[in-house]
Amino acid sequence: MSCIQLNPQTDLKENVIIALKYISEAAKKGSEIVVLPEMFTYMGEESHRHKTKSKIGEGVFKELQNAAKENKVILICGSHSEEIKDNPNKVFNTCLTFDKNGEMISTYRKLHLFNLIDRNGKALYCESNSFEYGKSPEGYSFETKEGNWKALNIICYDLRFPEIIRNNEKMKTAPFDIIFVTAAFTWQTGKDHWEILLRARAIENQCYVIACNQTGEFLNGQKRNYGNSMIIDPWGNIVAKLDEEVGILQAEIKKENVIESRNRLPALADRKMY
C-alpha cells in the first residue's frame, strides 16, 4: 500500500494533476491501496475554499473515482471541499473511498474542526469559518489479495478524539483492522504530538494506522505542515515513514499481524462497554 505525501498550494488544477500522477506511480509499484492527504486539492486562504468545491459524483470527486478505476486501486481520497446545498459560503471536508472498480464504498465528512486561537485572541486556524461539521464516520470493508479488511476513515484533528473510533457501532461488534488518518497536521503541533497520537490509536485498537499527512510551507511561507506520514502496525511499531519530503511511502500490510497482536494481548476482548 502507499501514502502520497504532498505539498499543495493554491492552484487546484495543478494540485490534482500532481496527485493523479502519484496515484498512477503507486499503482505501477504494485500498491493495491493508495491514500491521499487531507485537502490535497487546495491550501490557501480559507475564505476562498468554497470556490474550489465539487458535488459528489462531479468535478474533483469524479476525477478521483476515475483514477481508482483506471489504476485498479482502492483509493482513500484524502479530502476535498464538498458543496453544501443552500449554504454557498461553507463546505464539508469530505473523504471518499473508492474500490478498484470505482465504486464509492465510504463517505466521511470531518466531524472535529480545528479552531486554534493564540494568547492574544488571534485566530491562527479557524476551520469552522469555512467548513460545516460532519457526522461520525462509518466503518466499511474491502477486499485485497491479503483478504477482507474492516476500515475506518478519520481526518486530522479527529485523531485527538479516540471516542470517535471506540464509540463507533461497528467497532463494538467487530474491531477495525485499519484506521486511515488523512491529515494536514501542522508543524507546530506535529513535532510534539503526531507520532504519539498515531501510535496510541494503533496500540489501543490493535490495528494498523495508515497516516497520510501534508508537508511543507503554504500561504507564502506563513504556515507549514509537518509531513512524517507513517504506517504503524497493530503492536505500535512504525513500519515505514517519510520525513518532510514530497513523495510516496510504500509498505506491505498483513492481516495476520492484526490477528497475532490480538491473540498475543487480548485487550479488545477484555474491554468493558458502558
Side-chain angles (χ1 to χ4, degrees), residues 180-235:
F180 292 104
V181 184
T182 63
F185 216 91
T186 68
W187 188 88
Q188 292 92 330
T189 56
K191 61 186 174 63
D192 295 324
H193 299 160
W194 174 245
E195 180 183 323
I196 295 168
L197 289 169
L198 291 170
R199 295 182 70 189
R201 297 297 85 84
I203 292 166
E204 69 196 8
N205 295 297
Q206 297 184 298
C207 69
Y208 279 100
V209 168
I210 313 298
C212 188
N213 197 21
Q214 281 195 32
T215 192
E217 295 181 346
F218 62 101
L219 272 177
N220 297 315
Q222 296 177 52
K223 295 183 178 181
R224 177 182 174 189
N225 286 320
Y226 184 57
N228 285 269
S229 295
M230 59 184 75
I231 297 169
I232 302 168
D233 74 13
W235 200 250

Side-chain angles (χ1 to χ4, degrees), residues 76-240:
I76 292 84
C77 298
S79 71
H80 174 57
S81 301
E82 179 194 349
E83 180 176 324
I84 302 174
K85 187 178 180 180
D86 302 324
N87 192 343
N89 296 317
K90 283 192 175 183
V91 295
F92 285 123
N93 185 340
T94 301
C95 178
L96 302 184
T97 300
F98 296 104
D99 69 14
K100 295 178 182 180
N101 298 314
E103 295 295 324
M104 188 167 66
I105 57 176
S106 171
T107 303
Y108 171 54
R109 299 174 176 98
K110 188 177 181 181
L111 175 60
H112 298 97
L113 300 181
F114 186 46
N115 296 314
L116 181 63
I117 310 298
D118 70 12
R119 294 176 182 176
N120 299 316
K122 179 183 177 182
L124 300 177
Y125 293 86
C126 197
E127 291 185 342
S128 60
N129 286 343
S130 54
F131 293 114
E132 188 59 73
Y133 290 91
K135 296 181 180 180
S136 295
E138 293 295 326
Y140 62 96
S141 297
F142 60 86
E143 293 276 351
T144 67
K145 293 175 184 176
E146 179 67 25
N148 188 298
W149 297 87
K150 298 182 182 70
L152 187 76
N153 296 350
I154 62 174
I155 301 175
C156 201
Y157 195 44
D158 290 331
L159 180 62
R160 295 182 181 272
F161 305 93
E163 60 272 17
I164 197 175
I165 301 164
R166 284 298 184 96
N167 287 348
N168 190 285
E169 286 300 318
K170 292 191 177 182
M171 180 67 173
K172 292 177 182 179
T173 56
F176 298 115
D177 306 312
I178 305 175
I179 298 168
F180 292 104
V181 184
T182 63
F185 216 91
T186 68
W187 188 88
Q188 292 92 330
T189 56
K191 61 186 174 63
D192 295 324
H193 299 160
W194 174 245
E195 180 183 323
I196 295 168
L197 289 169
L198 291 170
R199 295 182 70 189
R201 297 297 85 84
I203 292 166
E204 69 196 8
N205 295 297
Q206 297 184 298
C207 69
Y208 279 100
V209 168
I210 313 298
C212 188
N213 197 21
Q214 281 195 32
T215 192
E217 295 181 346
F218 62 101
L219 272 177
N220 297 315
Q222 296 177 52
K223 295 183 178 181
R224 177 182 174 189
N225 286 320
Y226 184 57
N228 285 269
S229 295
M230 59 184 75
I231 297 169
I232 302 168
D233 74 13
W235 200 250
N237 298 310
I238 298 173
V239 175

Side-chain angles (χ1 to χ4, degrees), residues 1-3 25-27 29-31 231 239-240 242 248-252:
M1 71 146 301
S2 290
C3 290
E25 185 178 334
K29 290 183 175 181
S31 290
I231 297 169
V239 175
L242 290 176
I248 297 175
L249 175 67
Q250 191 169 33
E252 184 180 7

Side-chain angles (χ1 to χ4, degrees), residues 240-251:
K241 176 178 170 294
L242 290 176
D243 291 319
E244 294 185 55
E245 70 271 27
V246 170
I248 297 175
L249 175 67
Q250 191 169 33

Side-chain angles (χ1 to χ4, degrees), residues 17-72:
I17 288 170
I18 291 169
L20 294 176
K21 180 190 70 142
Y22 276 114
I23 292 168
S24 177
E25 185 178 334
K28 289 175 182 176
K29 290 183 175 181
S31 290
E32 290 187 84
I33 306 168
V34 179
V35 190
L36 294 167
E38 177 189 19
M39 283 295 150
F40 72 93
T41 51
Y42 172 82
M43 290 301 285
E45 296 290 348
E46 288 297 319
S47 60
H48 296 169
R49 189 169 293 285
H50 67 283
K51 297 177 182 179
T52 70
K53 63 190 175 185
S54 300
K55 294 180 181 179
I56 291 180
E58 300 179 8
V60 171
F61 291 125
K62 186 64 176 178
E63 289 187 82
L64 294 168
Q65 182 177 23
N66 291 338
K69 186 175 182 179
E70 290 168 5
N71 292 286
K72 296 297 180 187

